Amino acid sequence: MYFRILHDPASGELSYLLADLDAREAVLVDPRGADLPVLLALLAERELRLRWVLRTHHHDHLHPQEPVWLARLGAPLVQGQAGAGARLGVDGEALPFGSELVRVLATPGHTGFCLSYAWRDRLFCGGLLAVEACPHQPRPAAAPALWDSVTARVFTLPDETLLFAGQMDGGRCVSTVLEQRRWHRHFADRSRDEFLARMAGLPLAPRALAELPASGVPESAAVAPTPGRTPAAPFALPS
Protein backbone atom coordinates (compact mmCIF):
# COMPACT_ATOMS: atom_id res chain seq x y z
CA MET A 1 0.00 0.00 0.00
CA TYR A 2 0.95 3.61 -0.58
CA PHE A 3 -0.19 6.57 1.52
CA ARG A 4 0.69 10.23 0.95
CA ILE A 5 -0.42 13.42 2.66
CA LEU A 6 -0.52 16.82 0.95
CA HIS A 7 -0.46 19.90 3.16
CA ASP A 8 -1.07 23.48 2.08
CA PRO A 9 0.91 25.63 4.56
CA ALA A 10 -1.07 28.78 3.73
CA SER A 11 -4.52 27.42 4.62
CA GLY A 12 -3.59 24.35 6.65
CA GLU A 13 -5.76 22.20 4.38
CA LEU A 14 -4.90 18.51 4.00
CA SER A 15 -5.46 16.01 1.21
CA TYR A 16 -4.72 12.29 1.14
CA LEU A 17 -3.68 9.79 -1.53
CA LEU A 18 -4.31 6.08 -0.91
CA ALA A 19 -3.16 3.48 -3.40
CA ASP A 20 -2.98 -0.27 -3.92
CA LEU A 21 0.40 -0.50 -5.67
CA ASP A 22 -0.15 -4.09 -6.80
CA ALA A 23 -3.34 -3.17 -8.64
CA ARG A 24 -2.08 0.37 -9.41
CA GLU A 25 -5.39 1.89 -8.32
CA ALA A 26 -5.77 4.96 -6.10
CA VAL A 27 -8.20 7.16 -4.19
CA LEU A 28 -7.89 10.85 -3.36
CA VAL A 29 -9.56 12.30 -0.26
CA ASP A 30 -10.28 16.04 -0.22
CA PRO A 31 -8.03 17.03 -3.14
CA ARG A 32 -7.85 20.72 -4.03
CA GLY A 33 -8.14 22.07 -7.55
CA ALA A 34 -5.09 24.26 -6.94
CA ASP A 35 -3.03 21.09 -6.49
CA LEU A 36 -4.01 19.54 -9.81
CA PRO A 37 -0.47 19.49 -11.30
CA VAL A 38 0.96 17.93 -8.12
CA LEU A 39 -1.82 15.34 -7.92
CA LEU A 40 -1.44 14.30 -11.55
CA ALA A 41 2.34 14.05 -11.11
CA LEU A 42 1.95 11.82 -8.03
CA LEU A 43 -0.40 9.52 -9.91
CA ALA A 44 1.88 9.39 -12.95
CA GLU A 45 4.96 8.74 -10.82
CA ARG A 46 3.54 5.41 -9.65
CA GLU A 47 1.47 4.75 -12.80
CA LEU A 48 -1.71 4.82 -10.75
CA ARG A 49 -5.26 4.81 -12.09
CA LEU A 50 -7.50 7.03 -9.99
CA ARG A 51 -10.72 5.23 -9.04
CA TRP A 52 -12.42 7.79 -6.78
CA VAL A 53 -12.24 11.43 -5.74
CA LEU A 54 -13.78 11.61 -2.26
CA ARG A 55 -14.79 14.86 -0.58
CA THR A 56 -15.68 15.02 3.10
CA HIS A 57 -17.26 18.44 2.52
CA HIS A 58 -16.97 21.37 0.18
CA HIS A 59 -17.49 25.12 -0.04
CA ASP A 60 -18.13 25.42 -3.77
CA HIS A 61 -20.21 28.56 -3.29
CA LEU A 62 -16.89 30.25 -2.45
CA HIS A 63 -14.86 28.38 -5.10
CA PRO A 64 -17.34 27.56 -7.91
CA GLN A 65 -14.59 26.38 -10.28
CA GLU A 66 -13.44 23.66 -7.88
CA PRO A 67 -15.64 20.86 -9.34
CA VAL A 68 -14.43 21.79 -12.83
CA TRP A 69 -10.79 21.48 -11.78
CA LEU A 70 -11.39 18.21 -9.93
CA ALA A 71 -13.19 16.75 -12.96
CA ARG A 72 -9.84 16.91 -14.78
CA LEU A 73 -8.62 14.11 -12.53
CA GLY A 74 -10.84 11.81 -14.57
CA ALA A 75 -12.45 9.83 -11.74
CA PRO A 76 -15.96 9.83 -10.20
CA LEU A 77 -16.43 12.59 -7.62
CA VAL A 78 -18.21 11.41 -4.47
CA GLN A 79 -19.56 13.78 -1.81
CA GLY A 80 -22.52 14.25 0.51
CA GLN A 81 -24.49 16.26 -2.00
CA ALA A 82 -25.16 15.35 -5.64
CA GLY A 83 -24.71 17.87 -8.42
CA ALA A 84 -22.05 19.66 -10.47
CA GLY A 85 -20.78 16.33 -11.81
CA ALA A 86 -20.65 14.75 -8.35
CA ARG A 87 -22.55 11.74 -7.14
CA LEU A 88 -24.03 11.25 -3.71
CA GLY A 89 -22.07 9.06 -1.30
CA VAL A 90 -24.46 6.70 0.48
CA ASP A 91 -23.97 5.86 4.15
CA GLY A 92 -22.46 2.39 4.49
CA GLU A 93 -21.44 2.20 0.82
CA ALA A 94 -18.15 0.41 0.07
CA LEU A 95 -16.00 1.93 -2.67
CA PRO A 96 -13.40 -0.48 -4.10
CA PHE A 97 -9.92 0.31 -5.34
CA GLY A 98 -7.64 -2.61 -6.12
CA SER A 99 -8.08 -5.15 -3.34
CA GLU A 100 -9.03 -2.41 -0.85
CA LEU A 101 -12.34 -0.83 0.23
CA VAL A 102 -13.22 2.62 1.50
CA ARG A 103 -16.45 2.76 3.50
CA VAL A 104 -18.68 5.85 3.46
CA LEU A 105 -20.05 7.24 6.73
CA ALA A 106 -22.63 10.02 6.85
CA THR A 107 -21.35 12.52 9.44
CA PRO A 108 -23.25 15.81 8.97
CA GLY A 109 -22.61 18.78 11.20
CA HIS A 110 -19.65 20.83 9.99
CA THR A 111 -21.81 21.30 6.92
CA GLY A 112 -25.23 19.76 6.51
CA PHE A 113 -23.94 17.09 4.15
CA CYS A 114 -20.51 16.00 5.43
CA LEU A 115 -19.17 12.50 4.87
CA SER A 116 -16.30 10.61 6.45
CA TYR A 117 -14.37 7.76 4.86
CA ALA A 118 -13.11 4.69 6.71
CA TRP A 119 -10.13 2.74 5.37
CA ARG A 120 -8.44 0.00 7.38
CA ASP A 121 -7.74 1.51 10.82
CA ARG A 122 -8.19 5.10 9.62
CA LEU A 123 -11.05 7.55 9.34
CA PHE A 124 -10.78 10.63 7.14
CA CYS A 125 -13.23 13.03 8.74
CA GLY A 126 -12.48 16.43 7.19
CA GLY A 127 -13.60 19.34 9.36
CA LEU A 128 -15.77 17.26 11.68
CA LEU A 129 -13.56 17.64 14.76
CA ALA A 130 -12.06 21.00 13.81
CA VAL A 131 -15.33 22.71 14.87
CA GLU A 132 -14.33 26.39 14.52
CA ALA A 133 -10.97 26.01 12.71
CA CYS A 134 -12.26 25.96 9.12
CA PRO A 135 -11.45 29.35 7.54
CA HIS A 136 -14.50 29.06 5.27
CA GLN A 137 -16.91 28.20 8.07
CA PRO A 138 -15.77 28.90 11.64
CA ARG A 139 -19.08 27.76 13.12
CA PRO A 140 -20.82 24.39 12.54
CA ALA A 141 -23.72 24.54 10.11
CA ALA A 142 -25.72 22.07 12.21
CA ALA A 143 -24.49 21.79 15.80
CA PRO A 144 -27.02 19.11 16.92
CA ALA A 145 -26.08 16.93 13.94
CA LEU A 146 -22.38 17.50 14.66
CA TRP A 147 -22.82 16.29 18.25
CA ASP A 148 -24.58 13.15 17.06
CA SER A 149 -22.03 12.45 14.32
CA VAL A 150 -19.06 12.78 16.66
CA THR A 151 -20.43 11.06 19.76
CA ALA A 152 -22.48 8.30 18.09
CA ARG A 153 -20.44 7.58 14.97
CA VAL A 154 -16.81 8.57 15.56
CA PHE A 155 -16.35 8.12 19.31
CA THR A 156 -17.90 4.64 19.17
CA LEU A 157 -15.11 3.40 16.88
CA PRO A 158 -12.20 1.43 18.42
CA ASP A 159 -9.92 3.58 20.60
CA GLU A 160 -6.94 3.05 18.33
CA THR A 161 -8.70 4.25 15.16
CA LEU A 162 -6.59 6.95 13.50
CA LEU A 163 -8.47 10.16 12.72
CA PHE A 164 -7.15 12.20 9.83
CA ALA A 165 -8.39 15.78 9.70
CA GLY A 166 -9.04 18.05 6.76
CA GLN A 167 -7.02 20.83 8.36
CA MET A 168 -3.75 20.92 10.24
CA ASP A 169 -4.29 21.48 13.96
CA GLY A 170 -1.26 22.72 15.89
CA GLY A 171 1.11 21.04 13.45
CA ARG A 172 -0.76 17.71 13.59
CA CYS A 173 -2.89 15.99 10.99
CA VAL A 174 -3.71 12.77 12.86
CA SER A 175 -5.05 11.81 16.28
CA THR A 176 -6.94 8.82 17.70
CA VAL A 177 -10.49 8.19 18.82
CA LEU A 178 -9.29 7.69 22.39
CA GLU A 179 -7.43 11.00 22.41
CA GLN A 180 -10.33 12.99 20.99
CA ARG A 181 -12.92 11.31 23.22
CA ARG A 182 -10.90 12.14 26.35
CA TRP A 183 -9.46 15.57 25.54
CA HIS A 184 -11.33 17.29 22.73
CA ARG A 185 -12.02 20.73 24.11
CA HIS A 186 -15.57 20.90 22.77
CA PHE A 187 -16.73 17.30 23.30
CA ALA A 188 -14.85 15.74 26.22
CA ASP A 189 -16.69 15.79 29.55
CA ARG A 190 -19.58 17.80 28.15
CA SER A 191 -23.27 17.12 27.87
CA ARG A 192 -25.14 17.69 24.64
CA ASP A 193 -26.76 20.85 26.07
CA GLU A 194 -23.38 22.21 27.16
CA PHE A 195 -21.97 21.56 23.71
CA LEU A 196 -24.86 23.29 21.95
CA ALA A 197 -24.59 26.30 24.26
CA ARG A 198 -20.88 26.53 23.53
CA MET A 199 -21.51 26.36 19.76
CA ALA A 200 -24.12 29.11 20.03
CA GLY A 201 -21.46 31.34 21.54
CA LEU A 202 -18.99 30.95 18.67
CA PRO A 203 -18.55 33.92 16.29
CA LEU A 204 -20.98 34.00 13.41
CA ALA A 205 -19.83 32.59 10.11
CA PRO A 206 -18.60 34.96 7.38
CA ARG A 207 -21.40 36.86 5.67
CA ALA A 208 -21.14 34.79 2.49
CA LEU A 209 -21.95 31.68 4.54
CA ALA A 210 -24.41 33.26 6.95
CA GLU A 211 -26.63 34.19 4.01
CA LEU A 212 -26.91 30.60 2.76
CA PRO A 213 -30.28 28.84 3.05
CA ALA A 214 -30.65 26.20 5.73
CA SER A 215 -29.70 23.42 3.29
CA GLY A 216 -26.22 24.92 2.96
CA VAL A 217 -26.73 25.28 -0.82
CA PRO A 218 -26.51 28.84 -2.20
CA GLU A 219 -29.17 30.18 -4.53
CA SER A 220 -26.32 31.20 -6.84
CA ALA A 221 -22.59 30.59 -6.84
CA ALA A 222 -21.39 33.98 -7.97
CA VAL A 223 -18.41 34.33 -5.63
CA ALA A 224 -15.13 33.97 -7.51
CA PRO A 225 -12.51 31.48 -6.30
CA THR A 226 -9.64 32.83 -4.29
CA PRO A 227 -6.76 33.62 -6.66
CA GLY A 228 -3.22 32.45 -6.15
CA ARG A 229 -3.91 29.42 -3.99
CA THR A 230 -0.63 27.77 -3.18
CA PRO A 231 -0.13 24.17 -4.35
CA ALA A 232 0.28 21.76 -1.47
CA ALA A 233 3.54 20.10 -0.52
CA PRO A 234 3.39 16.29 -0.31
CA PHE A 235 4.93 14.28 2.47
CA ALA A 236 4.62 10.65 3.46
CA LEU A 237 3.63 8.63 6.50
CA PRO A 238 4.18 4.90 6.86
CA SER A 239 1.14 2.80 5.98
PDB file of all heavy atoms in Angstrom, residues 27 51-54 78 87 89-90 92-97 100-104 117:
ATOM      1  N   VAL A  27      -7.094   6.324  -4.654  1.00  0.00           N
ATOM      2  CA  VAL A  27      -8.201   7.164  -4.189  1.00  0.00           C
ATOM      3  C   VAL A  27      -7.605   8.465  -3.672  1.00  0.00           C
ATOM      4  O   VAL A  27      -6.554   8.460  -3.027  1.00  0.00           O
ATOM      5  CB  VAL A  27      -8.979   6.456  -3.052  1.00  0.00           C
ATOM      6  CG1 VAL A  27      -9.936   7.415  -2.367  1.00  0.00           C
ATOM      7  CG2 VAL A  27      -9.730   5.254  -3.588  1.00  0.00           C
ATOM      8  N   ARG A  51      -9.387   5.824  -9.043  1.00  0.00           N
ATOM      9  CA  ARG A  51     -10.721   5.230  -9.043  1.00  0.00           C
ATOM     10  C   ARG A  51     -11.773   6.178  -8.491  1.00  0.00           C
ATOM     11  O   ARG A  51     -12.900   6.193  -8.972  1.00  0.00           O
ATOM     12  CB  ARG A  51     -10.716   3.942  -8.201  1.00  0.00           C
ATOM     13  CG  ARG A  51     -10.040   2.761  -8.867  1.00  0.00           C
ATOM     14  CD  ARG A  51     -10.796   2.277 -10.094  1.00  0.00           C
ATOM     15  NE  ARG A  51     -12.208   2.047  -9.844  1.00  0.00           N
ATOM     16  CZ  ARG A  51     -12.723   0.906  -9.374  1.00  0.00           C
ATOM     17  NH1 ARG A  51     -11.916  -0.117  -9.124  1.00  0.00           N
ATOM     18  NH2 ARG A  51     -14.019   0.779  -9.172  1.00  0.00           N
ATOM     19  N   TRP A  52     -11.434   6.945  -7.443  1.00  0.00           N
ATOM     20  CA  TRP A  52     -12.421   7.787  -6.780  1.00  0.00           C
ATOM     21  C   TRP A  52     -11.783   9.089  -6.309  1.00  0.00           C
ATOM     22  O   TRP A  52     -10.641   9.099  -5.867  1.00  0.00           O
ATOM     23  CB  TRP A  52     -13.021   7.094  -5.546  1.00  0.00           C
ATOM     24  CG  TRP A  52     -13.600   5.744  -5.794  1.00  0.00           C
ATOM     25  CD1 TRP A  52     -13.013   4.533  -5.517  1.00  0.00           C
ATOM     26  CD2 TRP A  52     -14.875   5.443  -6.363  1.00  0.00           C
ATOM     27  NE1 TRP A  52     -13.833   3.503  -5.874  1.00  0.00           N
ATOM     28  CE2 TRP A  52     -14.996   4.038  -6.394  1.00  0.00           C
ATOM     29  CE3 TRP A  52     -15.926   6.230  -6.837  1.00  0.00           C
ATOM     30  CZ2 TRP A  52     -16.121   3.402  -6.895  1.00  0.00           C
ATOM     31  CZ3 TRP A  52     -17.053   5.588  -7.324  1.00  0.00           C
ATOM     32  CH2 TRP A  52     -17.147   4.190  -7.352  1.00  0.00           C
ATOM     33  N   VAL A  53     -12.559  10.157  -6.391  1.00  0.00           N
ATOM     34  CA  VAL A  53     -12.239  11.429  -5.738  1.00  0.00           C
ATOM     35  C   VAL A  53     -13.291  11.616  -4.649  1.00  0.00           C
ATOM     36  O   VAL A  53     -14.487  11.758  -4.946  1.00  0.00           O
ATOM     37  CB  VAL A  53     -12.270  12.602  -6.724  1.00  0.00           C
ATOM     38  CG1 VAL A  53     -12.069  13.925  -5.994  1.00  0.00           C
ATOM     39  CG2 VAL A  53     -11.200  12.420  -7.805  1.00  0.00           C
ATOM     40  N   LEU A  54     -12.866  11.592  -3.391  1.00  0.00           N
ATOM     41  CA  LEU A  54     -13.784  11.609  -2.257  1.00  0.00           C
ATOM     42  C   LEU A  54     -13.674  12.941  -1.520  1.00  0.00           C
ATOM     43  O   LEU A  54     -12.576  13.343  -1.127  1.00  0.00           O
ATOM     44  CB  LEU A  54     -13.457  10.458  -1.297  1.00  0.00           C
ATOM     45  CG  LEU A  54     -13.344   9.065  -1.924  1.00  0.00           C
ATOM     46  CD1 LEU A  54     -12.974   8.040  -0.863  1.00  0.00           C
ATOM     47  CD2 LEU A  54     -14.641   8.679  -2.629  1.00  0.00           C
ATOM     48  N   VAL A  78     -17.227  11.850  -5.457  1.00  0.00           N
ATOM     49  CA  VAL A  78     -18.215  11.411  -4.469  1.00  0.00           C
ATOM     50  C   VAL A  78     -18.240  12.413  -3.319  1.00  0.00           C
ATOM     51  O   VAL A  78     -17.188  12.782  -2.776  1.00  0.00           O
ATOM     52  CB  VAL A  78     -17.876  10.004  -3.934  1.00  0.00           C
ATOM     53  CG1 VAL A  78     -18.896   9.574  -2.877  1.00  0.00           C
ATOM     54  CG2 VAL A  78     -17.819   8.991  -5.073  1.00  0.00           C
ATOM     55  N   ARG A  87     -21.497  12.654  -7.543  1.00  0.00           N
ATOM     56  CA  ARG A  87     -22.554  11.741  -7.145  1.00  0.00           C
ATOM     57  C   ARG A  87     -22.621  11.642  -5.631  1.00  0.00           C
ATOM     58  O   ARG A  87     -21.637  11.872  -4.937  1.00  0.00           O
ATOM     59  CB  ARG A  87     -22.378  10.372  -7.790  1.00  0.00           C
ATOM     60  CG  ARG A  87     -21.408   9.422  -7.136  1.00  0.00           C
ATOM     61  CD  ARG A  87     -21.610   8.045  -7.772  1.00  0.00           C
ATOM     62  NE  ARG A  87     -20.805   6.976  -7.241  1.00  0.00           N
ATOM     63  CZ  ARG A  87     -21.093   6.299  -6.137  1.00  0.00           C
ATOM     64  NH1 ARG A  87     -22.112   6.649  -5.378  1.00  0.00           N
ATOM     65  NH2 ARG A  87     -20.329   5.285  -5.750  1.00  0.00           N
ATOM     66  N   GLY A  89     -22.600  10.183  -2.054  1.00  0.00           N
ATOM     67  CA  GLY A  89     -22.069   9.063  -1.300  1.00  0.00           C
ATOM     68  C   GLY A  89     -23.112   8.571  -0.317  1.00  0.00           C
ATOM     69  O   GLY A  89     -23.669   9.357   0.461  1.00  0.00           O
ATOM     70  N   VAL A  90     -23.398   7.285  -0.341  1.00  0.00           N
ATOM     71  CA  VAL A  90     -24.458   6.698   0.483  1.00  0.00           C
ATOM     72  C   VAL A  90     -23.856   6.097   1.746  1.00  0.00           C
ATOM     73  O   VAL A  90     -22.847   5.386   1.691  1.00  0.00           O
ATOM     74  CB  VAL A  90     -25.214   5.610  -0.307  1.00  0.00           C
ATOM     75  CG1 VAL A  90     -26.304   4.972   0.557  1.00  0.00           C
ATOM     76  CG2 VAL A  90     -25.811   6.201  -1.573  1.00  0.00           C
ATOM     77  N   GLY A  92     -22.691   3.831   4.479  1.00  0.00           N
ATOM     78  CA  GLY A  92     -22.460   2.394   4.486  1.00  0.00           C
ATOM     79  C   GLY A  92     -21.937   1.844   3.176  1.00  0.00           C
ATOM     80  O   GLY A  92     -21.536   0.667   3.114  1.00  0.00           O
ATOM     81  N   GLU A  93     -21.916   2.649   2.141  1.00  0.00           N
ATOM     82  CA  GLU A  93     -21.443   2.201   0.825  1.00  0.00           C
ATOM     83  C   GLU A  93     -19.958   1.871   0.870  1.00  0.00           C
ATOM     84  O   GLU A  93     -19.168   2.551   1.516  1.00  0.00           O
ATOM     85  CB  GLU A  93     -21.712   3.310  -0.190  1.00  0.00           C
ATOM     86  CG  GLU A  93     -21.291   3.007  -1.603  1.00  0.00           C
ATOM     87  CD  GLU A  93     -21.590   4.147  -2.555  1.00  0.00           C
ATOM     88  OE1 GLU A  93     -21.896   5.267  -2.072  1.00  0.00           O
ATOM     89  OE2 GLU A  93     -21.526   3.922  -3.772  1.00  0.00           O
ATOM     90  N   ALA A  94     -19.565   0.802   0.170  1.00  0.00           N
ATOM     91  CA  ALA A  94     -18.155   0.411   0.073  1.00  0.00           C
ATOM     92  C   ALA A  94     -17.649   0.731  -1.326  1.00  0.00           C
ATOM     93  O   ALA A  94     -18.229   0.281  -2.330  1.00  0.00           O
ATOM     94  CB  ALA A  94     -17.991  -1.069   0.368  1.00  0.00           C
ATOM     95  N   LEU A  95     -16.582   1.508  -1.395  1.00  0.00           N
ATOM     96  CA  LEU A  95     -16.001   1.927  -2.671  1.00  0.00           C
ATOM     97  C   LEU A  95     -14.690   1.180  -2.877  1.00  0.00           C
ATOM     98  O   LEU A  95     -13.740   1.369  -2.119  1.00  0.00           O
ATOM     99  CB  LEU A  95     -15.763   3.436  -2.666  1.00  0.00           C
ATOM    100  CG  LEU A  95     -16.992   4.309  -2.367  1.00  0.00           C
ATOM    101  CD1 LEU A  95     -16.585   5.772  -2.241  1.00  0.00           C
ATOM    102  CD2 LEU A  95     -18.047   4.135  -3.450  1.00  0.00           C
ATOM    103  N   PRO A  96     -14.598   0.335  -3.908  1.00  0.00           N
ATOM    104  CA  PRO A  96     -13.400  -0.483  -4.095  1.00  0.00           C
ATOM    105  C   PRO A  96     -12.303   0.250  -4.856  1.00  0.00           C
ATOM    106  O   PRO A  96     -12.571   1.080  -5.726  1.00  0.00           O
ATOM    107  CB  PRO A  96     -13.926  -1.664  -4.909  1.00  0.00           C
ATOM    108  CG  PRO A  96     -15.045  -1.081  -5.719  1.00  0.00           C
ATOM    109  CD  PRO A  96     -15.671  -0.017  -4.864  1.00  0.00           C
ATOM    110  N   PHE A  97     -11.073  -0.040  -4.502  1.00  0.00           N
ATOM    111  CA  PHE A  97      -9.923   0.313  -5.335  1.00  0.00           C
ATOM    112  C   PHE A  97      -8.887  -0.788  -5.137  1.00  0.00           C
ATOM    113  O   PHE A  97      -8.475  -1.071  -4.022  1.00  0.00           O
ATOM    114  CB  PHE A  97      -9.367   1.704  -5.007  1.00  0.00           C
ATOM    115  CG  PHE A  97      -8.730   1.852  -3.659  1.00  0.00           C
ATOM    116  CD1 PHE A  97      -7.345   1.911  -3.521  1.00  0.00           C
ATOM    117  CD2 PHE A  97      -9.506   1.964  -2.507  1.00  0.00           C
ATOM    118  CE1 PHE A  97      -6.747   2.059  -2.269  1.00  0.00           C
ATOM    119  CE2 PHE A  97      -8.914   2.113  -1.259  1.00  0.00           C
ATOM    120  CZ  PHE A  97      -7.527   2.160  -1.135  1.00  0.00           C
ATOM    121  N   GLU A 100      -8.662  -3.175  -2.034  1.00  0.00           N
ATOM    122  CA  GLU A 100      -9.034  -2.406  -0.849  1.00  0.00           C
ATOM    123  C   GLU A 100     -10.454  -1.867  -0.975  1.00  0.00           C
ATOM    124  O   GLU A 100     -11.023  -1.794  -2.068  1.00  0.00           O
ATOM    125  CB  GLU A 100      -8.069  -1.235  -0.657  1.00  0.00           C
ATOM    126  CG  GLU A 100      -6.625  -1.646  -0.469  1.00  0.00           C
ATOM    127  CD  GLU A 100      -6.353  -2.236   0.912  1.00  0.00           C
ATOM    128  OE1 GLU A 100      -6.978  -1.780   1.886  1.00  0.00           O
ATOM    129  OE2 GLU A 100      -5.534  -3.156   0.991  1.00  0.00           O
ATOM    130  N   LEU A 101     -11.016  -1.449   0.177  1.00  0.00           N
ATOM    131  CA  LEU A 101     -12.336  -0.835   0.227  1.00  0.00           C
ATOM    132  C   LEU A 101     -12.283   0.414   1.101  1.00  0.00           C
ATOM    133  O   LEU A 101     -11.641   0.423   2.150  1.00  0.00           O
ATOM    134  CB  LEU A 101     -13.379  -1.790   0.804  1.00  0.00           C
ATOM    135  CG  LEU A 101     -13.751  -3.021  -0.021  1.00  0.00           C
ATOM    136  CD1 LEU A 101     -14.657  -3.935   0.802  1.00  0.00           C
ATOM    137  CD2 LEU A 101     -14.444  -2.623  -1.321  1.00  0.00           C
ATOM    138  N   VAL A 102     -12.970   1.447   0.674  1.00  0.00           N
ATOM    139  CA  VAL A 102     -13.216   2.624   1.500  1.00  0.00           C
ATOM    140  C   VAL A 102     -14.707   2.645   1.809  1.00  0.00           C
ATOM    141  O   VAL A 102     -15.538   2.525   0.901  1.00  0.00           O
ATOM    142  CB  VAL A 102     -12.806   3.919   0.775  1.00  0.00           C
ATOM    143  CG1 VAL A 102     -13.243   5.147   1.580  1.00  0.00           C
ATOM    144  CG2 VAL A 102     -11.311   3.961   0.537  1.00  0.00           C
ATOM    145  N   ARG A 103     -15.045   2.772   3.081  1.00  0.00           N
ATOM    146  CA  ARG A 103     -16.447   2.758   3.496  1.00  0.00           C
ATOM    147  C   ARG A 103     -16.916   4.180   3.783  1.00  0.00           C
ATOM    148  O   ARG A 103     -16.216   4.970   4.427  1.00  0.00           O
ATOM    149  CB  ARG A 103     -16.635   1.890   4.731  1.00  0.00           C
ATOM    150  CG  ARG A 103     -18.093   1.726   5.172  1.00  0.00           C
ATOM    151  CD  ARG A 103     -18.243   0.569   6.158  1.00  0.00           C
ATOM    152  NE  ARG A 103     -17.389   0.747   7.321  1.00  0.00           N
ATOM    153  CZ  ARG A 103     -17.776   1.361   8.440  1.00  0.00           C
ATOM    154  NH1 ARG A 103     -18.985   1.858   8.539  1.00  0.00           N
ATOM    155  NH2 ARG A 103     -16.952   1.450   9.462  1.00  0.00           N
ATOM    156  N   VAL A 104     -18.099   4.518   3.303  1.00  0.00           N
ATOM    157  CA  VAL A 104     -18.678   5.851   3.456  1.00  0.00           C
ATOM    158  C   VAL A 104     -19.485   5.925   4.748  1.00  0.00           C
ATOM    159  O   VAL A 104     -20.299   5.042   5.029  1.00  0.00           O
ATOM    160  CB  VAL A 104     -19.588   6.183   2.254  1.00  0.00           C
ATOM    161  CG1 VAL A 104     -20.208   7.573   2.424  1.00  0.00           C
ATOM    162  CG2 VAL A 104     -18.825   6.085   0.950  1.00  0.00           C
ATOM    163  N   TYR A 117     -14.752   8.941   5.631  1.00  0.00           N
ATOM    164  CA  TYR A 117     -14.368   7.757   4.862  1.00  0.00           C
ATOM    165  C   TYR A 117     -13.449   6.882   5.708  1.00  0.00           C
ATOM    166  O   TYR A 117     -12.397   7.332   6.177  1.00  0.00           O
ATOM    167  CB  TYR A 117     -13.665   8.170   3.565  1.00  0.00           C
ATOM    168  CG  TYR A 117     -14.533   9.029   2.682  1.00  0.00           C
ATOM    169  CD1 TYR A 117     -14.417  10.422   2.690  1.00  0.00           C
ATOM    170  CD2 TYR A 117     -15.498   8.460   1.852  1.00  0.00           C
ATOM    171  CE1 TYR A 117     -15.218  11.215   1.895  1.00  0.00           C
ATOM    172  CE2 TYR A 117     -16.315   9.243   1.051  1.00  0.00           C
ATOM    173  CZ  TYR A 117     -16.167  10.614   1.073  1.00  0.00           C
ATOM    174  OH  TYR A 117     -16.991  11.403   0.289  1.00  0.00           O
TER     175      TYR A 117
END
